[in-house]
Amino acid sequence: MESLPEAVLIRILASIPAVDLVLACRLVCCQWKNLVDGAALWILKCQQEGLTGAESQENAENWQNFYFLSKKRKNLIKNPCGEEDLQHWGEVENGGDGWKIEELPGDFGKEFPSEEVHKYFVTSYEWCRKAQVIDLRAEGYWEELMDTTQPKIVVKDWYAGRSDAGCLYELCVKLLSENEDVLAEYKSETIAIPQDNDASWTEISHTFSNYGPGVRFVRFEHGGQDTLFWKGWYGVRVTNSSVTVEP
């Protein structure tokens, strides 16, 4: 292998699974270690696998992180649209008549912008809240990555009201340490949707960056209620919640 031109060796290494490159190949010899730690190999793997952003200029460490983060990118919220009732949601507060799952568009509602979303959660006449706590290590985001690279953590949620009823909505997301100390927090204002609104869906989002070392968990909580105190489910509707770790 030592007699092979470096460009040829990089092409051979690029055919090997990324985890094997880091855990095994880089231990073979100094030449392989330098190639695995360098930019060219990871640029090639990004291009081969169609990962976006592979044309941008990054340093060697960022290219490797970019590859792994791009491959891991997924929504870390489980059951974001109510397809599994309230499964995976904890700390559920059922004010009024509690949470309910309904089919889109629902009474006095509108279709969701994406055809992939079919259901939503709806609140009642007193505050309803629910939360999920995401274990980043369990999802494959190791400590050194979170502490050193501090990749962006992007949070999104969608909410809407019925056109015949007013409602309130809130979102609160916290980045937590090993001991569940709050290291960073985003809390929306209490958003009021008036009665006789157009029932359109609105996206709310926040990006955490430069949040410092120690983040191990993400706690996502949202909820709301109606403002007319009508029995039943006339409060805010939420769906398609997401938390993603971005390269």
Side-chain angles (χ1 to χ4, degrees):
M1 285 285 191
E2 291 183 0
S3 62
L4 288 176
E6 185 173 289
V8 175
L9 183 54
I10 286 174
R11 288 202 165 272
I12 294 172
L13 291 174
S15 67
I16 298 173
V19 172
D20 293 335
L21 286 173
V22 174
L23 297 182
C25 294
R26 72 186 299 273
L27 304 179
V28 171
C29 63
C30 289
Q31 182 190 19
W32 284 31
K33 179 181 183 298
N34 291 335
L35 292 178
V36 172
D37 291 345
L41 173 60
W42 298 101
I43 291 172
L44 180 57
K45 285 189 75 68
C46 286
Q47 292 171 341
Q48 287 176 339
E49 299 184 33
L51 301 178
T52 59
E55 299 79 15
S56 62
Q57 295 297 316
E58 301 282 350
N59 63 41
E61 181 182 6
N62 281 346
W63 270 114
Q64 188 179 126
N65 287 337
F66 176 87
Y67 177 87
F68 278 106
L69 288 169
S70 297
K71 295 291 285 186
K72 285 181 176 293
R73 185 187 296 167
K74 65 176 181 178
N75 185 5
L76 300 177
I77 292 286
K78 296 178 174 62
N79 186 27
C81 305
E83 297 290 345
E84 303 172 77
D85 197 56
L86 284 169
Q87 189 173 348
H88 303 297
W89 292 95
E91 303 177 52
V92 178
E93 183 178 336
N94 282 305
D97 288 321
W99 287 96
K100 185 181 180 184
I101 290 89
E102 295 181 343
E103 298 273 351
L104 282 157
D107 294 339
F108 295 92
K110 283 189 175 179
E111 290 289 355
F112 193 75
S114 169
E115 294 181 356
E116 296 178 358
V117 178
H118 306 290
K119 295 182 179 181
Y120 58 83
F121 302 91
V122 58
T123 59
S124 190
Y125 57 87
E126 291 180 354
W127 270 99
C128 297
R129 292 184 177 87
K130 58 187 176 69
Q132 280 192 39
V133 177
I134 298 162
D135 184 336
L136 293 170
R137 280 178 299 192
E139 296 292 344
Y141 299 98
W142 58 98
E143 288 93 335
E144 184 182 0
L145 176 71
M146 298 305 302
D147 293 347
T148 305
T149 304
Q150 295 176 30
K152 293 180 291 185
I153 299 175
V154 181
V155 179
K156 297 181 181 180
D157 201 17
W158 288 81
Y159 65 90
R162 293 170 54 117
S163 61
D164 63 340
C167 59
L168 304 174
Y169 165 83
E170 287 183 359
L171 171 66
C172 181
V173 184
K174 298 176 181 179
L175 305 187
L176 306 177
S177 70
E178 180 76 38
N179 299 320
E180 299 190 2
D181 298 318
V182 178
L183 302 180
E185 180 177 8
Y186 168 75
K187 183 167 183 162
S188 72
E189 60 181 352
T190 300
I191 298 171
I193 301 175
Q195 190 175 15
D196 299 321
N197 65 87
D198 65 3
S200 61
W201 287 92
T202 300
E203 183 183 47
I204 183 172
S205 66
H206 178 75
T207 300
F208 291 97
S209 60
N210 300 318
Y211 38 77
V215 172
R216 300 293 179 263
F217 302 95
V218 180
R219 185 181 186 279
F220 178 103
E221 178 185 288
H222 62 181
Q225 68 171 87
D226 78 38
T227 54
L228 301 174
F229 305 100
W230 288 348
K231 182 173 177 57
W233 296 274
Y234 294 85
V236 72
R237 300 166 170 183
V238 294
T239 195
N240 205 37
S241 311
S242 67
V243 173
T244 55
V245 179
E246 303 283 349

